[in-house]
Structure formats: C-alpha cells, structure tokens
Amino acid sequence: MVRAAMQGFLLVTLSASLSWAANPGFVARITEKGLDYARQEGLCVLQKELSKIQLPDFSGTFHVKHLGHVHYSFNSLVIRNFQLPNSQVVPIPKVGLKLSITNAFIQLDGKWHVHKAAVKDHGSFDLKVEGLSITVDLALGSDGSGRPTISTSGCSSHISNVRVHISGKLSWILKLFHEKIDSAFRKAMEGKICPVVSDSIKTKLQPFLQTLDVTVKLDHIAGINYSLTSPPDVTEQSVDVYLKGEFFDLSHHSQIPFPSPAVAFPVDNNLMVYFGISDYLFNTASFVYQQAGTLVFTLTDDMIPKDFKIRLNTSSIGTLIPQVEKLYPDMLMKMRVSAPSAPFLTFTPSNISFTPVLDIQAFSILPNTSLAPLFLLSVTTTLSAKVAARSNRIIGNLMLSRLELALKHSDVGPFSVSLLDITVNYYISHILLPHVNDILGKGFPLPMLDHIQLFDVVLQQHQNFLLFGANVHHT
C-alpha cells in the first residue's frame, strides 16, 4: 500500500512537472501581414543575390547547309536586370512556408563568335528571360541553443520563354539555330537559380535568425531565458514561436516551483507581430530576486523629505510609541523592508494587481552603530500596476491602493499599529515605491532580432497574460 501511494505521488509529481513545462512563458506570433513584410524584405536580398549569377561561357558546333560545320561560342555573359515582380509566401500547416515567385524577368547581354575555316565573325547579343517561376519550400525549426532555424527543403525553377537578339554580319547563321541556343541558355540559367536561393537562405536569412538573443543578462543577479521550447508552429494564418520566457539566477539555475498558465491568443491579424507575455514571466522575476535576497530595502532618516514631520528617529516615532523614546532616547532609526515570500502579479482583462506582503523591521541605531531591534511589522499591500512599451522594452509602474499593518513582534512592549498607518503609508508610497518604479522604468527587453524596430504598438490585458502587438520595420 505504501509502495502504491509512493508510485501515485511520483506520478502526480511527474504529471505536474510535465504540465508546468508544457506552457511557454512567452509566445510570439507572426501573422500573414508579418510574413508578407518578411517576404518583401527577403526578396530585396534575393533579387540582389540572383543578379550576381555568373553564367558560364558555352560553345558548340552545328551543321549549316553548303557551309558544313560551323563553330560558335558565347561569352562575357552579364546580367543587366533581374526583377521579381510577383511573389507570395504561404504557411503550410505543420510543415513550413512556401515561397512562390512568378513572372520574373531577366535581361542579360554578352558576345558571340563564329568561325568556319577562314570565315570568322563576332558580335553582341542580348537575351530576355520571361515567365520565370521559382518555388521554394522552407522548413522551420530550432537548434540546440534554442534559436530558430530555417532551411530550404525543396526548390524548383522554370523558364517559359527565352528571347535572344543577335547582332552582327553572320548573326543570321546563329538565328537558324535559335532553339538550340535558347535551350542552352535556359538550362544554364535554371541550373543556377536554386543553388543561389538555397545559399542566400543559408548565408543571409539563417544568420539573421541566429541574432535572437536567447539569454539576456539584466544585471549581476538575473537574466531571462528566451530560448525556443519547440520548433515554430505553422498554422494556416500564422507562425507561432514558443519561448521559455523565464527569469533565472545567473549564479545557479533552479527549478521554478509554480506552473505557467496557457496563453490563449485572441483572433487578431491587423498587426505584423503579437507577443503573449504570461504573468509567469513577471512572477519568475519576483521569485528569482526574492530567492537571491535582493528584495530588501533599507530606509534611513536622510531619505525622508524634509517637509515630512515624522522623522525616522526615536524622538519622532516616540510621539506615536512612547516606549521607543523611553528606551532609546534621541537616537536615529533604521527600517529594513523585505519580502518574506515572492510577490506575484495577476493579470485580468480589467486590471493588473500586485499584492506583496512585506516585513518591516525597525531598529534603533545605538551610539556604537550597532542596531537594537524595536518591532517587526507585517504589511499587506495592494498595488495596481501599469505596463507600457518603450523602444522594444516592457516597462512598468506601481501605485499603492491599500495597506494593512499587523504587529508580528515587539521588543518595546505592546502598542497599536494603527498609530503607524500614516507614517508607514508615507514611507512606502513616497520613498519605497519611487525607488521600485525607477527600476521598473528601465524595463526588460523583448526577444528581438537585430535591426528590428517596433511601431504602432498596442497593449491589451487578458486573463493571465499581456498581449503586445506591433508592426515592424527592418533598419
């Protein structure tokens, strides 16, 4: 029976850990509009690379009636114009993306030579490729570092028409065999296109995706893990990228002891990208910093504005708690504010709430600078939060809504904590919160690729997550 119970416990524990890992803390969605913008940017690069195609010189021999065998050669072939006017990228669910280019146009020129015994001639030619179509299948994945990958899983090209215009005295000879010449050009060109396309994706697009910084160091304590938890999920209308979205301690990685909720995107394709930022991401930050012992704030009298009447010394606090002044007359005081447990943010469609429970330990600073404990308060606060975006970063701001005091321990005897309501409220709202908001105002970076800027930003609150939408611009 004990064994069965233990097996059941392990099964529940394993199931819980698997379910916690199933939901990412951050989801990025690239919509059809976003894919179309990526197509436009990619085509500019691809068109430039295709314009660099170098066609080989080629030559041959053919028979002309009454002349016999005539030798010819084409050389110095240079592409003068390469246009990709029509294209589209289509998501193929669970497979990848399909890029289709139609009615592409190529114009090139070069030189020709013919000779038959002592008869020689040369001239120039120009060639137009019309109705070029290119189809490229793109596979999306992720590598061992958690970065996205892209590769060519298939490619084909077809030229429907080649028109060659040849000038020179003996150009009429070559025109007799234009079909053979057209075929040679067609074969040479079709053989060059897909290798250039595949190489461009490998050397241009794939390195660009590798610029995603999957580990962002914020300070000497914490970083954010933005690595992909699985290959991108391709649907009929978008590409969803699942990122871990989790703060971690730089000195050691420890398991986060709470689950990540599901991020349910609303149906909205008006913008290029959407980010679903789970409250899990914010709460892992709280957990990491609390575990590192950094959610501690020391308050001294020199930090209190001069216009506030109740100073942080035993004489002033003694007007509220006489025992303090009696035991420690005319001494400065210090308060240490800490969070005994990690405070959590909660997202709902109507608001963002934050309810940290704080411990405030009051000390008297003795003449030898040692500290004498006075009392320990438990402070339950309710804060409202605002979240905004600034230059590819998420920033926040907290405002105090409610505060409740309770006496956990006293070294000076019993007293009514209600006497400290106004004082503690002032200290927290006018000193502690501005300090915290300065930190939150610096924010944390979103996972972005190099040279990508966001604009037309919208923010929406949903159950358990923040929806961040934007259009993008590649600089």
Side-chain angles (χ1 to χ4, degrees):
M1 185 174 180
V2 173
R3 181 179 180 182
M6 181 61 69
Q7 289 176 336
F9 172 77
L10 292 174
L11 181 60
V12 170
T13 303
L14 178 60
S15 300
S17 64
L18 290 175
S19 65
W20 290 3
N23 294 322
F26 193 104
V27 181
R29 170 167 291 178
I30 307 170
T31 65
E32 288 180 310
K33 186 176 180 181
L35 291 173
D36 190 62
Y37 179 77
R39 173 194 61 81
Q40 296 174 42
E41 291 293 306
L43 280 184
C44 292
V45 175
L46 182 58
Q47 182 169 292
K48 188 179 296 184
E49 294 302 308
L50 289 172
S51 298
K52 299 176 184 178
I53 286 178
Q54 294 183 348
L55 293 173
D57 298 343
F58 58 93
S59 59
T61 301
F62 54 81
H63 185 269
V64 180
K65 192 175 182 180
H66 304 305
L67 289 179
H69 289 87
V70 177
H71 301 280
Y72 70 91
S73 65
F74 288 84
N75 55 60
S76 303
L77 281 69
V78 178
I79 294 176
R80 300 300 181 190
N81 191 13
F82 204 127
Q83 297 294 324
L84 306 174
N86 301 316
S87 62
Q88 65 173 344
V89 61
V90 178
I92 308 299
K94 306 302 179 183
V95 175
L97 303 173
K98 182 180 289 293
L99 172 65
S100 300
I101 301 171
T102 57
N103 295 322
F105 173 84
I106 309 172
Q107 187 174 9
L108 57 84
D109 55 40
K111 298 178 181 179
W112 62 266
H113 297 266
V114 297
H115 63 93
K116 165 64 179 175
V119 179
K120 296 183 180 180
D121 196 11
H122 65 277
S124 61
F125 73 93
D126 63 78
L127 180 146
K128 294 181 180 179
V129 174
E130 299 173 332
L132 167 63
S133 61
I134 306 171
T135 301
V136 186
D137 296 322
L138 301 172
L140 305 179
S142 59
D143 62 16
S145 68
R147 291 182 172 85
T149 63
I150 188 168
S151 59
T152 306
S153 58
C155 179
S156 63
S157 64
H158 175 71
I159 295 173
S160 61
N161 187 33
V162 175
R163 291 162 50 189
V164 182
H165 178 264
I166 303 172
S167 61
K169 293 180 181 179
L170 297 181
S171 61
W172 62 272
I173 296 177
L174 296 175
K175 290 177 182 178
L176 294 175
F177 297 90
H178 68 88
E179 290 185 2
K180 185 175 182 180
I181 295 170
D182 289 359
S183 176
F185 276 116
R186 188 193 307 269
K187 184 177 180 180
M189 182 61 71
E190 289 180 342
K192 289 284 185 176
I193 289 173
C194 278
V196 170
V197 171
S198 297
D199 185 67
S200 296
I201 291 168
K202 181 180 179 180
T203 62
K204 304 292 183 182
L205 185 53
Q206 173 60 18
F208 175 62
L209 295 182
Q210 290 290 298
T211 64
L212 179 67
D213 198 350
V214 297
T215 302
V216 179
K217 181 180 178 181
L218 295 178
D219 49 36
H220 68 284
I221 297 169
I224 307 176
N225 185 342
Y226 278 135
S227 61
L228 273 67
T229 60
S230 62
D233 183 23
V234 182
T235 69
E236 291 183 355
Q237 295 182 328
S238 65
V239 175
D240 290 347
V241 184
Y242 304 117
L243 312 179
K244 195 170 185 64
E246 183 179 288
F247 277 70
F248 64 92
D249 193 315
L250 295 176
S251 62
H252 67 281
H253 283 57
S254 59
Q255 184 71 31
I256 301 297
F258 50 86
S260 174
V263 174
F265 269 99
V267 178
D268 190 346
N269 296 311
N270 294 323
L271 298 171
M272 295 180 185
V273 295
Y274 289 91
F275 302 121
I277 309 172
S278 171
D279 56 17
Y280 174 81
L281 174 63
F282 299 94
N283 291 333
T284 60
S286 178
F287 174 78
V288 167
Y289 283 106
Q290 194 274 337
Q291 288 291 298
T294 58
L295 297 187
V296 178
F297 181 78
T298 300
L299 182 64
T300 55
D301 185 68
D302 57 356
M303 301 168 67
I304 300 172
K306 293 181 179 179
D307 59 352
F308 189 62
K309 295 180 180 180
I310 300 179
R311 312 305 304 174
L312 197 48
N313 57 53
T314 57
S315 298
S316 187
I317 296 296
T319 61
L320 304 174
I321 311 172
Q323 307 97 295
V324 170
E325 167 68 8
K326 184 178 180 180
L327 291 171
Y328 303 99
D330 196 25
M331 294 183 186
L332 290 173
M333 290 176 58
K334 176 185 292 188
M335 286 187 172
R336 181 178 295 137
V337 184
S338 61
S341 60
F344 285 174
L345 271 174
T346 301
F347 285 101
T348 68
S350 58
N351 72 327
I352 303 174
S353 61
F354 189 53
T355 56
V357 176
L358 304 175
D359 279 349
I360 299 182
Q361 174 68 63
F363 299 93
S364 174
I365 304 175
L366 301 179
N368 63 359
T369 70
S370 62
L371 301 178
L374 301 176
F375 52 83
L376 175 64
L377 300 177
S378 176
V379 183
T380 302
T381 62
T382 300
L383 301 158
S384 60
K386 289 185 177 180
V387 180
R390 182 190 300 159
S391 184
N392 298 355
R393 298 178 75 88
I394 291 290
I395 61 174
N397 185 269
L398 298 175
M399 293 158 289
L400 182 61
S401 300
R402 186 175 60 87
L403 181 146
E404 293 182 359
L405 301 181
L407 183 62
K408 293 181 72 172
H409 176 76
S410 175
D411 292 282
V412 297
F415 62 89
S416 175
V417 295
S418 62
L419 298 172
L420 294 174
D421 275 352
I422 295 176
T423 303
V424 173
N425 195 308
Y426 183 90
Y427 289 166
I428 289 179
S429 59
H430 288 76
I431 302 173
L432 178 58
L433 270 187
H435 174 76
V436 173
N437 283 332
D438 283 343
I439 298 173
L440 296 178
K442 298 175 183 177
F444 63 87
L446 295 169
M448 302 296 294
L449 299 170
D450 280 356
H451 307 294
I452 293 294
Q453 293 295 322
L454 304 178
F455 65 99
D456 295 336
V457 172
V458 298
L459 285 171
Q460 297 175 0
Q461 295 164 204
H462 292 266
Q463 190 66 40
N464 300 324
F465 75 98
L466 178 72
L467 182 66
F468 180 109
N471 287 319
V472 303
H473 176 66
H474 182 256
T475 60

